[in-house]
C-alpha cells in the first residue's frame, strides 16, 4: 500500500523496516481492539452509513504509525485522512484476495 499511494511514506533505512513495523502494529491493533471498537461504534456506523468506520480506520492507522515511530524510530507517515481511507481500501482488497486464496 505504501508503494502504491504517494501520500504514504516509509521512514527508515531500509524503508522495508518502516513498513514492517507499521504492519506489525496494524496487525496487533486489528486483532486486539478493532473488533471491540467496531461493536461499540456500530449504532453510529449504521446511522452514518459506514462513515464512522472510515474514521476508526484512520485513527488506527495514525495510532499504528505513531507507535512504530515511537518504539522503533521507523514506520510509515500518512499525509492525511484521504490517504488513510485509500490505504484502508487497498488493505481491504488485498486481504480479501489473500483470504480467498488461502481460505479463512
Amino acid at each position: 500500500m505504501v508503494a502504491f499511494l504517494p501520500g504514504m511514506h516509509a521512514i527508515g533505512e531500509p524503508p522495508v523496516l518502516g513498513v514492517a513495523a507499521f504492519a506489525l502494529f496494524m496487525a496487533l491493533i486489528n486483532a486486539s481492539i478493532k473488533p471491540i471498537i467496531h461493536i461499540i461504534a456500530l449504532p453510529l456506523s449504521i446511522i452514518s452509513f459506514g462513515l464512522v468506520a472510515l474514521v476508526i480506520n484512520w485513527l488506527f492507522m495514525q495510532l499504528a504509525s505513531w507507535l512504530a515511530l515511537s518504539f522503533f524510530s521507523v514506520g510509515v507517515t500518512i499525509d492525511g485522512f484521504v490517504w488513510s481511507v485509500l490505504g484502508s481500501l487497498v488493505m481491504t482488497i488485498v486481504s480479501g484476495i489473500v483470504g480467498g486464496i488461502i481460505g479463512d
Side-chain angles (χ1 to χ4, degrees), residues 1 4 7 26 31 33 46-48 53 58-60 67-69 74 77 80 88 90 93 101:
M1 138 179 94
F4 295 122
M26 280 300 296
I33 62 174
I46 291 171
I47 292 170
S48 69
W58 170 68
L59 289 172
F60 286 154
L67 287 171
L69 289 169
V74 295
T77 59
S88 178
V90 169
I93 291 168
I101 293 171

mmCIF file of all heavy atoms in Angstrom, residues 1 4 7 26 31 33 46-48 53 58-60 67-69 74 77 80 88 90 93 101:
data_model
loop_
_atom_site.group_PDB
_atom_site.id
_atom_site.type_symbol
_atom_site.label_atom_id
_atom_site.label_comp_id
_atom_site.label_asym_id
_atom_site.label_seq_id
_atom_site.Cartn_x
_atom_site.Cartn_y
_atom_site.Cartn_z
ATOM 1 N N MET A 1 0.830 -1.170 0.000
ATOM 2 C CA MET A 1 0.000 0.000 0.000
ATOM 3 C C MET A 1 0.881 1.241 0.000
ATOM 4 O O MET A 1 0.539 2.222 -0.644
ATOM 5 C CB MET A 1 -0.938 -0.109 1.197
ATOM 6 C CG MET A 1 -1.186 1.074 2.011
ATOM 7 S SD MET A 1 -2.316 0.762 3.340
ATOM 8 C CE MET A 1 -1.204 0.390 4.643
ATOM 9 N N PHE A 4 2.102 2.003 -3.491
ATOM 10 C CA PHE A 4 1.104 2.454 -4.455
ATOM 11 C C PHE A 4 0.559 3.851 -4.176
ATOM 12 O O PHE A 4 0.103 4.524 -5.084
ATOM 13 C CB PHE A 4 -0.078 1.478 -4.505
ATOM 14 C CG PHE A 4 0.289 0.119 -5.013
ATOM 15 C CD1 PHE A 4 0.067 -0.998 -4.227
ATOM 16 C CD2 PHE A 4 0.861 -0.046 -6.249
ATOM 17 C CE1 PHE A 4 0.410 -2.259 -4.679
ATOM 18 C CE2 PHE A 4 1.207 -1.301 -6.720
ATOM 19 C CZ PHE A 4 0.978 -2.409 -5.926
ATOM 20 N N GLY A 7 0.749 9.381 -0.859
ATOM 21 C CA GLY A 7 0.531 10.085 0.399
ATOM 22 C C GLY A 7 1.010 9.320 1.612
ATOM 23 O O GLY A 7 0.838 9.766 2.739
ATOM 24 N N MET A 26 -0.289 -2.496 12.990
ATOM 25 C CA MET A 26 -1.630 -2.602 12.399
ATOM 26 C C MET A 26 -2.225 -3.973 12.702
ATOM 27 O O MET A 26 -3.410 -4.084 13.023
ATOM 28 C CB MET A 26 -1.585 -2.366 10.886
ATOM 29 C CG MET A 26 -1.533 -0.919 10.479
ATOM 30 S SD MET A 26 -2.927 0.076 11.024
ATOM 31 C CE MET A 26 -4.284 -0.679 10.165
ATOM 32 N N ALA A 31 -6.176 -7.098 15.525
ATOM 33 C CA ALA A 31 -6.516 -8.334 16.225
ATOM 34 C C ALA A 31 -7.047 -8.087 17.631
ATOM 35 O O ALA A 31 -7.825 -8.889 18.140
ATOM 36 C CB ALA A 31 -5.288 -9.238 16.298
ATOM 37 N N ILE A 33 -7.993 -4.571 19.508
ATOM 38 C CA ILE A 33 -9.008 -3.588 19.894
ATOM 39 C C ILE A 33 -9.986 -3.204 18.799
ATOM 40 O O ILE A 33 -11.054 -2.674 19.093
ATOM 41 C CB ILE A 33 -8.359 -2.310 20.475
ATOM 42 C CG1 ILE A 33 -7.482 -1.626 19.447
ATOM 43 C CG2 ILE A 33 -7.600 -2.616 21.724
ATOM 44 C CD1 ILE A 33 -6.929 -0.293 19.919
ATOM 45 N N ILE A 46 -24.094 2.593 11.640
ATOM 46 C CA ILE A 46 -25.335 2.355 10.897
ATOM 47 C C ILE A 46 -25.993 3.678 10.524
ATOM 48 O O ILE A 46 -26.430 3.868 9.384
ATOM 49 C CB ILE A 46 -26.294 1.466 11.712
ATOM 50 C CG1 ILE A 46 -25.727 0.049 11.811
ATOM 51 C CG2 ILE A 46 -27.680 1.441 11.081
ATOM 52 C CD1 ILE A 46 -26.476 -0.850 12.768
ATOM 53 N N ILE A 47 -26.040 4.593 11.467
ATOM 54 C CA ILE A 47 -26.659 5.895 11.214
ATOM 55 C C ILE A 47 -25.899 6.673 10.141
ATOM 56 O O ILE A 47 -26.503 7.328 9.299
ATOM 57 C CB ILE A 47 -26.741 6.714 12.522
ATOM 58 C CG1 ILE A 47 -27.741 6.061 13.466
ATOM 59 C CG2 ILE A 47 -27.124 8.162 12.256
ATOM 60 C CD1 ILE A 47 -27.725 6.640 14.865
ATOM 61 N N SER A 48 -24.574 6.578 10.147
ATOM 62 C CA SER A 48 -23.760 7.356 9.207
ATOM 63 C C SER A 48 -23.424 6.587 7.931
ATOM 64 O O SER A 48 -22.587 7.041 7.147
ATOM 65 C CB SER A 48 -22.473 7.799 9.884
ATOM 66 O OG SER A 48 -21.632 6.692 10.114
ATOM 67 N N ALA A 53 -16.791 4.037 10.403
ATOM 68 C CA ALA A 53 -15.768 3.001 10.201
ATOM 69 C C ALA A 53 -14.537 3.587 9.508
ATOM 70 O O ALA A 53 -13.402 3.207 9.830
ATOM 71 C CB ALA A 53 -16.333 1.844 9.388
ATOM 72 N N TRP A 58 -8.966 5.333 10.063
ATOM 73 C CA TRP A 58 -7.981 6.407 10.008
ATOM 74 C C TRP A 58 -7.266 6.539 11.355
ATOM 75 O O TRP A 58 -6.030 6.663 11.406
ATOM 76 C CB TRP A 58 -8.664 7.720 9.626
ATOM 77 C CG TRP A 58 -7.800 8.921 9.773
ATOM 78 C CD1 TRP A 58 -6.698 9.229 9.031
ATOM 79 C CD2 TRP A 58 -7.938 9.955 10.731
ATOM 80 N NE1 TRP A 58 -6.160 10.416 9.466
ATOM 81 C CE2 TRP A 58 -6.901 10.879 10.515
ATOM 82 C CE3 TRP A 58 -8.852 10.202 11.751
ATOM 83 C CZ2 TRP A 58 -6.756 12.022 11.276
ATOM 84 C CZ3 TRP A 58 -8.703 11.341 12.509
ATOM 85 C CH2 TRP A 58 -7.668 12.239 12.264
ATOM 86 N N LEU A 59 -8.022 6.507 12.434
ATOM 87 C CA LEU A 59 -7.422 6.620 13.760
ATOM 88 C C LEU A 59 -6.476 5.455 14.061
ATOM 89 O O LEU A 59 -5.393 5.647 14.628
ATOM 90 C CB LEU A 59 -8.508 6.698 14.829
ATOM 91 C CG LEU A 59 -9.308 7.995 14.865
ATOM 92 C CD1 LEU A 59 -10.478 7.870 15.833
ATOM 93 C CD2 LEU A 59 -8.425 9.157 15.245
ATOM 94 N N PHE A 60 -6.862 4.255 13.661
ATOM 95 C CA PHE A 60 -5.996 3.106 13.903
ATOM 96 C C PHE A 60 -4.728 3.174 13.064
ATOM 97 O O PHE A 60 -3.653 2.775 13.521
ATOM 98 C CB PHE A 60 -6.740 1.798 13.642
ATOM 99 C CG PHE A 60 -7.725 1.450 14.715
ATOM 100 C CD1 PHE A 60 -8.816 0.655 14.436
ATOM 101 C CD2 PHE A 60 -7.578 1.897 16.009
ATOM 102 C CE1 PHE A 60 -9.732 0.324 15.419
ATOM 103 C CE2 PHE A 60 -8.478 1.581 17.008
ATOM 104 C CZ PHE A 60 -9.560 0.787 16.707
ATOM 105 N N LEU A 67 2.895 4.547 16.989
ATOM 106 C CA LEU A 67 3.538 3.510 17.792
ATOM 107 C C LEU A 67 4.832 3.025 17.153
ATOM 108 O O LEU A 67 5.849 2.844 17.834
ATOM 109 C CB LEU A 67 2.574 2.337 18.011
ATOM 110 C CG LEU A 67 1.422 2.582 18.977
ATOM 111 C CD1 LEU A 67 0.433 1.425 18.910
ATOM 112 C CD2 LEU A 67 1.930 2.790 20.386
ATOM 113 N N ALA A 68 4.803 2.791 15.837
ATOM 114 C CA ALA A 68 6.001 2.314 15.146
ATOM 115 C C ALA A 68 7.121 3.349 15.231
ATOM 116 O O ALA A 68 8.275 3.009 15.504
ATOM 117 C CB ALA A 68 5.673 1.989 13.696
ATOM 118 N N LEU A 69 6.777 4.611 15.000
ATOM 119 C CA LEU A 69 7.797 5.657 15.072
ATOM 120 C C LEU A 69 8.290 5.855 16.500
ATOM 121 O O LEU A 69 9.476 6.129 16.717
ATOM 122 C CB LEU A 69 7.248 6.959 14.504
ATOM 123 C CG LEU A 69 7.060 6.978 12.990
ATOM 124 C CD1 LEU A 69 6.262 8.194 12.553
ATOM 125 C CD2 LEU A 69 8.404 6.940 12.279
ATOM 126 N N VAL A 74 11.172 3.865 13.211
ATOM 127 C CA VAL A 74 10.873 3.602 11.799
ATOM 128 C C VAL A 74 9.370 3.429 11.705
ATOM 129 O O VAL A 74 8.701 3.143 12.694
ATOM 130 C CB VAL A 74 11.593 2.340 11.252
ATOM 131 C CG1 VAL A 74 13.094 2.515 11.254
ATOM 132 C CG2 VAL A 74 11.213 1.102 12.029
ATOM 133 N N THR A 77 4.529 7.305 7.538
ATOM 134 C CA THR A 77 3.780 8.532 7.787
ATOM 135 C C THR A 77 2.667 8.635 6.754
ATOM 136 O O THR A 77 2.840 8.258 5.602
ATOM 137 C CB THR A 77 4.670 9.785 7.716
ATOM 138 O OG1 THR A 77 5.265 9.862 6.431
ATOM 139 C CG2 THR A 77 5.750 9.744 8.782
ATOM 140 N N GLY A 80 -2.620 12.407 5.270
ATOM 141 C CA GLY A 80 -3.932 12.924 5.638
ATOM 142 C C GLY A 80 -4.999 11.853 5.638
ATOM 143 O O GLY A 80 -4.745 10.674 5.383
ATOM 144 N N SER A 88 -6.788 2.136 3.542
ATOM 145 C CA SER A 88 -7.734 1.182 4.108
ATOM 146 C C SER A 88 -8.412 0.375 3.003
ATOM 147 O O SER A 88 -8.600 -0.840 3.136
ATOM 148 C CB SER A 88 -8.764 1.923 4.943
ATOM 149 O OG SER A 88 -9.704 1.044 5.463
ATOM 150 N N VAL A 90 -7.146 -0.271 0.027
ATOM 151 C CA VAL A 90 -6.136 -1.180 -0.521
ATOM 152 C C VAL A 90 -5.959 -2.380 0.398
ATOM 153 O O VAL A 90 -5.902 -3.533 -0.061
ATOM 154 C CB VAL A 90 -4.793 -0.447 -0.738
ATOM 155 C CG1 VAL A 90 -3.673 -1.423 -1.050
ATOM 156 C CG2 VAL A 90 -4.921 0.582 -1.847
ATOM 157 N N ILE A 93 -8.956 -4.770 0.004
ATOM 158 C CA ILE A 93 -8.915 -5.529 -1.255
ATOM 159 C C ILE A 93 -7.861 -6.629 -1.177
ATOM 160 O O ILE A 93 -8.126 -7.789 -1.528
ATOM 161 C CB ILE A 93 -8.651 -4.582 -2.442
ATOM 162 C CG1 ILE A 93 -9.872 -3.686 -2.664
ATOM 163 C CG2 ILE A 93 -8.315 -5.359 -3.700
ATOM 164 C CD1 ILE A 93 -9.631 -2.531 -3.613
ATOM 165 N N ILE A 101 -7.718 -16.814 -1.510
ATOM 166 C CA ILE A 101 -6.731 -17.783 -1.976
ATOM 167 C C ILE A 101 -6.391 -18.783 -0.877
ATOM 168 O O ILE A 101 -6.394 -19.991 -1.090
ATOM 169 C CB ILE A 101 -5.457 -17.074 -2.473
ATOM 170 C CG1 ILE A 101 -5.766 -16.278 -3.744
ATOM 171 C CG2 ILE A 101 -4.338 -18.074 -2.727
ATOM 172 C CD1 ILE A 101 -4.629 -15.377 -4.191
#
